[in-house]
């Protein structure tokens, strides 16, 4: 906010939703802060038709109220809010929905699958893009400032994603080794006669021995035998139904385990661009895709650090940096892309509007190894580090 010099999520969200014109947000800061009710809520997404969701801090829906919640829901919400309280003053806690939806389309088109790919989302906020790629099989790392680490960790947990050290592939092996339900042998049908069937045969035999004693006795024996046979048939049918239900339950468990095995991994890290440029912690030349979604605005002082960071971590000239920004921040993204082009980066694709809505995007490849990056970015960051 230009007025109070703070990063107010309510100011940002009101600007985003056009409740107040963007250029007048700073003048109405106090009024906005008083009127807007913010709340942690969940946003559902689909990536390659697979659903996932993330928590984010946004304007509360007018229809929602505490009275709509039962006691368990209220307790769960308050626990969640306490956990995420330190994130509420950060811009990244707000989800720029249109830009994230457009970024997911770009990611779907860029690769047919992210299975096994090493991917990184910088300025991740809620982490929607990184989590989407992890759902598609990638080993994802999502990063943002330290204050947003609880939010990123919460969303990784919400989507049941594991860190790289604990692969979800264990789920399928565990399901495959699971013992079948008692009395059920996978792929085998038990044709041995049951106790009820043996009893029916015995009763029938005795009824035949009594046939000489008269028609009434014969009829009684026959009826008794018939009832026993019917009971035996019902028992056998019931056991077959139990085996079928157990088989269906096992098949459902196997499908769920396969789904878990197809998921990749995801880890959330606190990474501040300038500090990372000076004292690297992320592995060098390790990531095939780096996603930066709606992180370029008036923060030009951090662009040099971002340039050095992505140059160092991308795994060669075929790796890709994918940028997406809301159209109102298009000038900032264009300036950053020009800065990268001046350092021998190659623009592979640019797109704006159309299917992306009010979003502009660019996909770039880093310089060839024979063209080491030089110039203002390297000089400035190294000077600051010294």
């Amino acid at each position: 906010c230009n007025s109070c010099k703070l990063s107010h999520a309510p100011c940002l969200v009101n600007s985003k939703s056009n409740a107040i014109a963007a250029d007048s947000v700073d003048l109405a800061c106090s009024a906005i802060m008083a009127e807007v009710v913010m709340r942690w809520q969940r946003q559902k997404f689909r990536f390659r038709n697979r659903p996932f969701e993330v928590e984010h801090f946004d304007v509360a829906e007018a229809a929602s109220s505490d009275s709509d919640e039962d006691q368990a829901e209220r307790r769960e919400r308050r626990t969640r809010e306490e956990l995420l309280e330190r994130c509420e003053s950060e811009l990244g806690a707000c989800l720029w929905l249109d830009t994230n939806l457009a970024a997911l389309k770009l990611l779907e088109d860029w690769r047919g699958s992210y299975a096994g790919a090493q991917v990184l989302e910088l300025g991740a906020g809620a982490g929607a893009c990184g989590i989407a790629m992890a759902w598609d099989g990638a080993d994802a790392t999502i990063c943002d400032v330290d204050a947003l680490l609880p939010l990123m960790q919460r969303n990784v947990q919400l989507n049941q994603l594991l860190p790289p050290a604990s692969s979800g592939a264990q789920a399928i092996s565990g399901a495959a080794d699971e013992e079948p339900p008692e009395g059920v042998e996978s792929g085998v049908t038990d044709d041995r006669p049951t106790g009820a069937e043996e009893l029916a045969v015995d009763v029938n035999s005795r009824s035949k021995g009594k046939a000489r004693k008269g028609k009434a006795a014969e009829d009684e024996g026959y009826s008794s035998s018939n009832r026993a046979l019917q009971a035996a048939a019902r028992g056998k049918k019931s056991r077959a139904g139990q085996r079928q239900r157990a088989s269906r339950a096992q098949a459902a468990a196997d499908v769920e385990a396969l789904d878990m095995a197809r998921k990749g991994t995801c880890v959330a890290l606190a990474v501040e661009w300038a500090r990372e440029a000076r004292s690297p912690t992320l592995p060098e030349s390790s990531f095939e895709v780096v996603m930066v979604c709606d992180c370029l605005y008036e923060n030009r002082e951090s662009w040099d650090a971002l340039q050095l960071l992505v140059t160092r971590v991308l795994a060669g000239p075929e790796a890709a940096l994918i940028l997406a920004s809301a159209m109102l921040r298009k000038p900032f993204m264009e300036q950053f892309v020009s800065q990268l082009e001046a350092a021998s980066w190659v623009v592979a694709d640019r797109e704006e509007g159309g299917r992306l809505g009010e979003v502009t995007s660019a996909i770039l490849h880093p310089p060839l190894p024979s063209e080491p990056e030089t110039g203002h970015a390297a000089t400035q960051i190294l000077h600051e580090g010294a």
Side-chain angles (χ1 to χ4, degrees):
C1 177
N2 293 332
S3 177
C4 62
K5 307 303 180 185
L6 296 176
S7 299
H8 288 312
C11 290
L12 181 68
V13 173
N14 266 270
S15 174
K16 178 181 70 171
S17 62
N18 297 320
I20 293 181
D23 58 358
S24 65
V25 167
D26 57 328
L27 303 178
C29 177
S30 298
I32 294 172
M33 291 296 291
E35 295 174 6
V36 175
V37 177
M38 305 288 290
R39 174 166 289 183
W40 288 103
Q41 47 198 289
R42 292 183 184 179
Q43 175 64 46
K44 297 182 182 295
F45 290 98
R46 298 189 76 86
F47 189 74
R48 302 200 202 281
N49 208 34
R50 301 180 71 182
F52 70 97
E53 58 184 357
V54 297
E55 299 260 19
H56 66 113
F57 196 57
D58 210 331
V59 174
E61 296 180 7
S64 66
S65 69
D66 294 352
S67 60
D68 297 331
E69 302 172 322
D70 60 29
Q71 186 174 359
E73 290 173 333
R74 190 176 301 111
R75 184 165 53 248
E76 192 276 337
R77 176 176 60 80
R78 288 175 178 171
T79 299
R80 185 171 72 251
E81 289 175 349
E82 288 176 4
L83 174 68
L84 299 175
E85 184 177 5
R86 63 182 277 202
C87 307
E88 292 181 2
S89 62
E90 294 294 325
L91 296 182
C94 293
L95 185 69
W96 293 88
L97 183 58
D98 291 345
T99 316
N100 275 269
L101 290 172
L104 293 179
K105 290 178 184 177
L106 291 170
L107 291 170
E108 283 186 344
D109 293 346
W110 182 245
R111 291 180 63 142
S113 171
Y114 288 90
Q118 299 289 327
V119 303
L120 173 68
E121 184 179 9
L122 294 171
C129 293
I131 288 171
M133 289 186 281
W135 265 100
D136 199 42
D139 293 318
T141 302
I142 57 176
C143 303
D144 212 312
V145 295
D146 180 69
L148 287 171
L149 186 58
L151 175 59
M152 294 186 291
Q153 291 172 332
R154 164 67 181 170
N155 285 332
V156 170
Q157 181 186 39
L158 180 63
N159 288 278
Q160 300 180 345
L161 292 166
L162 301 174
S166 305
S167 172
Q170 294 175 353
I172 183 60
S173 62
D177 297 336
E178 185 178 339
E179 292 294 328
E182 186 177 352
V184 177
E185 209 171 329
S186 177
V188 178
T189 303
D190 191 353
D191 292 324
R192 293 176 297 177
T194 64
E197 292 169 327
E198 291 175 344
L199 174 62
V201 173
D202 183 63
V203 170
N204 189 41
S205 177
R206 289 202 304 272
S207 68
K208 288 180 179 179
K210 294 178 181 179
R212 293 186 300 271
K213 295 184 180 180
K215 191 174 184 304
E218 183 178 350
D219 291 342
E220 182 181 352
Y222 176 79
S223 298
S224 176
S225 173
N226 192 45
R227 286 194 299 272
L229 286 171
Q230 289 177 348
R234 285 195 299 270
K236 188 172 184 179
K237 185 176 181 180
S238 176
R239 287 189 296 277
Q242 290 174 356
R243 286 195 291 270
Q244 289 176 353
R245 286 192 293 273
S247 178
R248 286 195 295 268
Q250 183 63 46
D254 288 345
V255 169
E256 184 178 356
L258 282 169
D259 193 51
M260 287 293 294
R262 280 194 294 266
K263 280 201 294 189
T265 64
C266 191
V267 62
L269 300 175
V271 172
E272 194 275 322
W273 297 350
R275 187 168 61 240
E276 178 68 20
R278 290 192 298 269
S279 304
T281 58
L282 294 170
E284 184 175 358
S285 303
S286 297
F287 297 101
E288 299 166 50
V289 174
V290 174
M291 181 79 223
V292 180
C293 183
D294 243 335
C295 294
L296 300 168
Y297 41 97
E298 291 89 348
N299 56 346
R300 291 185 185 85
E301 72 282 354
S302 65
W303 292 2
D304 291 345
L306 175 60
Q307 178 180 340
L308 285 178
L309 194 166
V310 295
T311 302
R312 191 182 70 82
V313 300
L314 279 171
E318 296 304 314
L321 169 65
I322 302 179
L323 305 173
S325 289
M327 199 69 76
L328 62 91
R329 285 180 287 281
K330 176 183 174 181
F332 302 114
M333 198 185 82
E334 289 183 336
Q335 292 173 31
F336 185 66
V337 169
S338 296
Q339 178 175 318
L340 294 180
E341 287 183 295
S344 300
W345 284 67
V346 178
V347 177
D349 187 50
R350 297 187 79 155
E351 189 174 354
E352 67 177 58
R355 70 190 184 103
L356 299 182
E358 291 297 310
V359 174
T360 182
S361 69
I363 301 176
L364 301 97
H365 296 302
L368 294 171
S370 58
E371 302 176 23
E373 194 162 349
T374 59
H376 175 70
T379 303
Q380 181 70 18
I381 295 296
L382 293 176
H383 175 73
E384 292 177 359

